[in-house]
Amino acid sequence: MDTAWFLGILEREGRLLASAAAEAGTDAVVPTCPGWRVRDLLRHTGVVHRWAAAFVADRHVAPRPMDDHPELDGAELVAWYRDSHRRLLETLAGAAPDVECFTFLPGSPSAPAFWARRQAHETAVHRYDAESARGGTPAPTATDFAVDGVDELLRGFHARPRSRVRTASPRVLRVRATDADAVWTVRLSQEPPVTTRGADAEAECELAGPAEELYLALWNRRPVPRISGDPALAALWRDTSAVT
């Protein structure tokens, strides 16, 4: 799973997102993002693409805010999103592997690898959002990519102090992909969750299902395929795990 692999997925997901958005129309409601219409989805994802590309292109080593959303709509907005996606791809593909810039999750071998991975998952989830607005059968998500996305979410995003998934006393949650050799143990407490690969502790609740369905469920796009054990822990995840 190297940078080129993630860039290939990012390229595909961005094209699919733009196509679904164009078919749905920018005024279409996005069922998976309450309160959003397709124009909000395109503006958000395009701004994120440009924000990410700028870190790499300008070698910014400190965080900085995103730009304001453009006041575009309709076909002009779809074209602007396509251009944002293209700029991101070109920036990441042309970056030297040793470029140093701001990143915000642990574990990547380089900054371009981090941003290729992060933007591939950002775009894949929002592609699903655009397809939910369009209707019809969504494009499939490859099992290995979905497993990586679950890993990024659990061991990256929810390892940060800003994760709101907390419990008053220690609890253990299991997450299991049933179509891959992938299982995670999530230890919950008053501190940020601590997630390890493997089933190395007895769990009080397990969230399980095919990797693609689990990936979308953990990002709160679909219901968890299968819940066993204490349903309160599954409800805790649903209610507090939104990434901001």
Side-chain angles (χ1 to χ4, degrees):
M1 297 183 186
D2 59 12
T3 303
W5 185 76
F6 284 115
L7 286 177
I9 294 172
L10 172 59
E11 194 275 335
R12 170 183 178 271
E13 296 291 343
R15 284 191 296 102
L16 290 172
L17 190 162
S19 295
E23 291 173 31
T26 56
D27 196 46
V29 170
V30 182
T32 49
C33 297
W36 273 20
R37 295 183 183 269
V38 167
R39 66 174 60 88
D40 303 302
L41 180 66
L42 288 173
R43 289 167 180 170
H44 164 78
T45 313
V47 164
V48 170
H49 285 345
R50 290 170 184 251
W51 174 75
F55 281 116
V56 178
D58 301 336
R59 302 189 177 219
H60 282 281
V61 295
R64 64 179 187 176
M66 297 183 194
D67 292 338
D68 293 335
H69 289 183
E71 294 299 325
L72 300 172
D73 207 349
E76 285 186 309
L77 178 58
V78 175
W80 174 86
Y81 171 75
R82 291 186 194 275
D83 183 61
S84 303
H85 178 241
R86 177 189 59 79
R87 291 187 186 193
L88 174 65
L89 282 168
E90 290 178 353
T91 298
L92 293 175
D98 61 350
V99 66
E100 294 185 5
C101 68
F102 171 74
T103 61
F104 59 88
L105 297 178
S108 293
S110 69
F114 165 82
W115 283 111
R117 181 195 195 198
R118 175 80 289 278
Q119 288 298 290
H121 287 298
E122 175 86 12
T123 310
V125 172
H126 287 318
R127 178 268 299 168
Y128 184 82
D129 294 331
E131 290 175 338
S132 76
R134 179 201 63 195
T137 303
T141 300
T143 297
D144 53 356
F145 180 68
V147 167
D148 182 77
V150 172
D151 197 77
E152 183 205 42
L153 180 62
L154 296 179
R155 299 205 295 159
F157 278 100
H158 286 290
R160 300 186 301 168
R162 65 195 304 175
S163 175
R164 298 183 299 116
V165 185
R166 310 291 178 99
T167 54
S169 58
R171 307 291 301 274
V172 179
L173 175 69
R174 181 97 68 237
V175 177
R176 186 185 302 275
T178 56
D179 58 345
D181 182 18
V183 59
W184 297 262
T185 298
V186 186
R187 290 173 171 82
L188 304 174
S189 69
Q190 296 182 47
E191 301 298 321
V194 176
T195 301
T196 54
R197 291 293 293 264
D200 57 357
E202 185 174 348
E204 300 161 75
C205 176
E206 179 170 290
L207 312 181
E212 177 182 18
E213 295 180 37
L214 197 59
Y215 174 54
L216 293 168
L218 293 176
W219 277 104
N220 293 313
R221 263 51 184 193
R222 295 174 63 167
V224 175
R226 189 176 75 224
I227 299 169
S228 56
D230 185 356
L233 283 182
L236 175 76
W237 179 274
R238 183 190 65 236
D239 295 341
T240 65
S241 65
V243 171
T244 58

